[in-house]
Amino acid sequence: MEQRDLLKDQIEQLGNALTKILSDFLGMSSKGQTSKAIEIANESFQNQLDIDIQKVLTLSATDLMKYLQDRNLTADHIEIIADYLKASGTAELEEDKQKIQLKLDKALELLQIADDVSQAVSFSRIQKKKEIQELLNS
């Protein structure tokens, strides 16, 4: 029972850390510091959570699923990473189009992985997928 509580606490702490990284990114980005915000967020993912965003962007779907499972990420955690990729991609709309497309494509892939991990369909994830698809089509 204690072990279960400890695991639950670790999962909650991971979720809090992910949420803080996303929140900090959005705050800096809204102040026009997008490049610096991306740099800091990527470093935070790496240093605090051992999640290499550049690696996430380059992994195949199968390897990405294993990478995320090795870090014990839940569907909610994966969804937060997808939110970050979407936000960082849309914040860079005037910059490198290939990088933006890569981030948005990977955000879609992460949302699908979140569906697979949770073994449930989430209406919020469906809406997020639709929004990302619209960005890709525009």
Side-chain angles (χ1 to χ4, degrees):
M1 191 66 159
E2 270 182 48
Q3 191 174 24
R4 183 180 217 159
D5 290 340
L6 180 61
L7 183 58
K8 187 176 176 183
D9 287 345
Q10 289 174 335
I11 290 171
E12 188 175 309
Q13 289 173 354
L14 180 59
N16 291 339
L18 284 164
T19 302
K20 181 168 179 2
I21 292 169
L22 178 60
S23 176
D24 290 348
F25 167 77
L26 293 173
M28 284 186 72
S29 183
S30 70
K31 294 177 184 173
Q33 301 172 330
T34 304
S35 296
K36 185 69 173 168
I38 290 171
E39 180 183 328
I40 290 171
N42 288 352
E43 287 175 7
S44 295
F45 276 109
Q46 180 67 49
N47 297 335
Q48 294 176 25
L49 306 172
D50 190 32
I51 299 171
D52 184 343
I53 293 297
Q54 295 307 315
K55 186 172 187 173
V56 166
L57 291 171
T58 61
L59 290 172
S60 69
T62 305
D63 291 339
L64 181 58
M65 177 75 117
K66 181 169 176 12
Y67 183 81
L68 298 171
Q69 286 175 336
D70 288 348
R71 281 148 185 80
N72 299 314
L73 298 176
T74 67
D76 291 335
H77 298 149
I78 296 167
E79 193 170 341
I80 293 169
I81 297 169
D83 289 342
Y84 166 69
L85 291 178
K86 177 187 173 207
S88 67
T90 55
E92 298 179 306
L93 282 179
E94 274 81 54
E95 296 183 25
D96 184 357
K97 298 289 186 193
Q98 286 182 323
K99 187 188 291 185
I100 296 163
Q101 172 128 11
L102 176 63
K103 286 183 176 184
L104 294 177
D105 285 339
K106 196 55 72 169
L108 278 175
E109 192 175 315
L110 285 168
L111 291 170
Q112 183 57 51
I113 290 172
D115 285 343
D116 295 344
V117 167
S118 69
Q119 298 179 352
V121 176
S122 161
F123 289 116
S124 71
R125 284 196 291 268
I126 290 170
Q127 181 61 34
K128 288 177 183 183
K129 288 177 189 177
K130 182 180 173 188
E131 290 170 4
I132 293 169
Q133 198 60 54
E134 287 172 0
L135 288 169
L136 286 167
N137 292 335
S138 62

